[in-house]
């Protein structure tokens, strides 16, 4: 019941039929009678992401989080931990979600094991592509794995001769 020349939103389509939304009503319509008003831009982004920064203690786990969204289908997500020279470590993963939303905790967090990394300097990177063909670097974070981490404060901070 969409009138002629009305503007509405297409949420899915297969070239013949489309799932449409018009003034709060959802349904299917033939694409033969539709015209594209404007191309959808991808607007790829990541929210609530965690990324290792600074120095991490060797052997200590780190949990990956982040929800990637795009106005277009996300066709590929890849990344993980790389040596600073750009070479991939064994801690990398790739997924082909084919959806407009992808949660890193569902696959990447289980397959990228930070506590398996040796001491050294690394870069954590997440890259995503969508159906526009564009590639987006969503995270690029440098960090160090070291066994020489001190978690407390040492010395005489207040100058009274004590160890406070």
């Amino acid at each position: 019941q969409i009138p002629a020349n009305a503007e509405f939103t297409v949420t899915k389509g297969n070239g013949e039929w489309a799932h449409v939304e018009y003034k709060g009503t959802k349904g299917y319509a033939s694409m033969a009678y539709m015209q594209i008003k404007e191309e959808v831009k991808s607007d790829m982004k990541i929210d609530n992401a965690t990324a290792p920064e600074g120095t991490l203690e060797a052997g200590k786990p780190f949990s990956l989080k982040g929800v990637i969204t795009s106005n277009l289908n996300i066709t590929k997500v890849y990344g993980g931990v790389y040596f600073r020279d750009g070479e991939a470590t064994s801690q990398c993963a790739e997924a082909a979600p084919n959806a407009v939303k992808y949660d890193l905790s569902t696959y990447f967090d289980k397959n990228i094991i930070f506590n398996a990394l040796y001491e050294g300097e690394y870069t954590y990177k997440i890259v995503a592509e969508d159906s526009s063909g564009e590639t987006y670097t969503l995270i690029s974070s440098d960090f160090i794995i070291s066994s020489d981490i001190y978690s407390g404060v040492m010395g005489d901070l207040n100058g009274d001769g004590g160890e406070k």
Side-chain angles (χ1 to χ4, degrees):
Q1 298 298 327
I2 300 173
N5 299 317
E7 292 184 13
F8 52 90
T9 303
V10 175
T11 56
K12 296 178 193 170
N14 67 4
E16 189 175 336
W17 290 95
H19 184 266
V20 298
E21 295 178 11
Y22 177 71
K23 293 189 176 184
T25 302
K26 298 177 182 179
Y28 290 90
S30 171
M31 293 182 79
Y33 303 101
M34 296 179 194
Q35 291 180 351
I36 296 174
K37 181 178 177 190
E38 63 184 56
E39 289 295 321
V40 176
K41 305 249 186 297
S42 62
D43 193 32
M44 179 90 66
K45 63 183 177 182
I46 187 166
D47 292 314
N48 302 318
T50 57
E53 295 177 334
T55 303
L56 302 178
E57 186 176 346
K60 198 164 194 174
F62 183 87
S63 182
L64 291 176
K65 293 183 177 114
V67 177
I68 302 169
T69 56
S70 177
N71 291 332
L72 301 172
N73 270 348
I74 302 165
T75 55
K76 186 175 176 183
V77 177
Y78 59 94
V81 180
Y82 299 83
F83 295 106
R84 286 282 170 89
D85 66 6
E87 183 183 343
T89 68
S90 60
Q91 303 305 319
C92 291
E94 183 176 314
N98 199 26
V100 294
K101 185 175 184 180
Y102 182 73
D103 189 342
L104 291 175
S105 65
T106 60
Y107 180 74
F108 278 66
D109 188 46
K110 294 170 182 62
N111 287 285
I112 298 175
I113 314 297
F114 283 86
N115 57 352
L117 295 170
Y118 297 107
E119 289 189 28
E121 296 182 0
Y122 299 94
T123 299
Y124 167 61
K125 190 178 347 182
I126 294 293
V127 179
E129 298 175 6
D130 62 23
S131 57
S132 72
E134 293 288 321
T135 301
Y136 302 88
T137 300
L138 300 172
I139 299 175
S140 183
S141 175
D142 292 337
F143 67 99
I144 297 169
I145 298 287
S146 175
S147 60
D148 188 23
I149 290 184
Y150 180 72
S151 60
V153 176
M154 291 184 65
D156 186 5
L157 296 178
N158 62 3
D160 69 355
E163 292 186 19
K164 293 182 184 178

